[in-house]
Amino acid sequence: MASTKAGTTKSTKTTKKTATKKAKAPAKKATPPAKKAAGRASKMEGPGGALERFRAICMGFPEATEVEAWGHPTFRVRDKIFAAMGGENGVGSFGVKTTFEMQAGLVATDPRFTIAKYVGKHGWINVRLDEPNDGPIDWNEVRALVTGSYKMIAPKALAARVDD
């Protein structure tokens, strides 16, 4: 019996029918990692081994992990995404979180930067990697963007261990 506000008592017993329904609920299973599609590695690789270089930058941060999600590599710290690599219509790109001010400035001044679908409202941007007119990838710029994103997402103690 459980006490209510008015001082009366109310029954808290579970009926047999309710207990049976609860028992029949299937346990959630962990989904096995998706198998890599043939040829996708080369598509994701991007220009000049971009995926490997991007991965090296991302995995250099404390407690960074790589998880494939939505068919693309995502880089996380304590299960929170701080960077991802992907592409659309055959054009490679990566995504990171920025401040709203930086997002607005980058998108307004450089055609390589776009507001990310779905998460752009939280400050995320996509950076195009391999359009012919873009020139070579500036890996110092990539490192700075990824570092900023990591420091925004990571717990304070881990972010403090990272130099700008």
Side-chain angles (χ1 to χ4, degrees), residues 58 61-64 76-77 82 97 145-155 158-159 162:
C58 293
F61 294 107
E63 296 188 30
R76 303 167 186 238
V77 56
F82 66 90
K97 185 171 183 163
L145 288 167
V146 173
T147 300
S149 183
Y150 177 89
K151 291 178 97 172
M152 291 179 75
I153 301 292
L158 292 178
V162 176

Side-chain angles (χ1 to χ4, degrees), residues 6-154:
T8 61
T9 56
K10 180 171 122 178
S11 174
T12 58
K13 118 177 141 174
T14 304
T15 65
K16 185 176 179 182
K17 191 174 182 181
T18 306
T20 305
K21 281 185 181 180
K22 288 180 183 176
K24 288 183 181 178
K28 290 186 179 182
K29 295 180 182 176
T31 315
K35 292 183 180 177
K36 296 192 186 249
R40 188 172 69 211
S42 61
K43 178 180 159 190
M44 289 302 306
E45 193 56 36
L51 175 58
E52 288 307 315
R53 291 187 77 173
F54 189 74
R55 178 179 287 130
I57 291 169
C58 293
M59 295 303 291
F61 294 107
E63 296 188 30
T65 57
E66 180 178 357
V67 176
E68 186 175 307
W70 310 287
H72 303 288
T74 63
F75 300 91
R76 303 167 186 238
V77 56
R78 295 196 182 165
D79 258 351
K80 293 183 178 183
I81 299 173
F82 66 90
M85 188 151 201
E88 197 171 303
N89 301 323
V91 178
S93 65
F94 69 90
V96 292
K97 185 171 183 163
T98 65
T99 64
F100 292 111
E101 294 79 17
M102 181 181 276
Q103 179 192 52
L106 291 171
V107 170
T109 60
D110 191 328
R112 295 174 303 144
F113 296 91
T114 58
I115 295 175
K117 291 180 183 176
Y118 311 113
V119 292
K121 62 185 175 187
H122 302 291
W124 284 78
I125 57 168
N126 284 334
V127 184
R128 186 179 64 219
L129 289 175
D130 53 2
E131 281 290 312
N133 297 333
D134 291 341
I137 298 169
D138 180 349
W139 288 104
N140 290 325
E141 178 183 50
V142 172
R143 182 178 304 282
L145 288 167
V146 173
T147 300
S149 183
Y150 177 89
K151 291 178 97 172
M152 291 179 75
I153 301 292

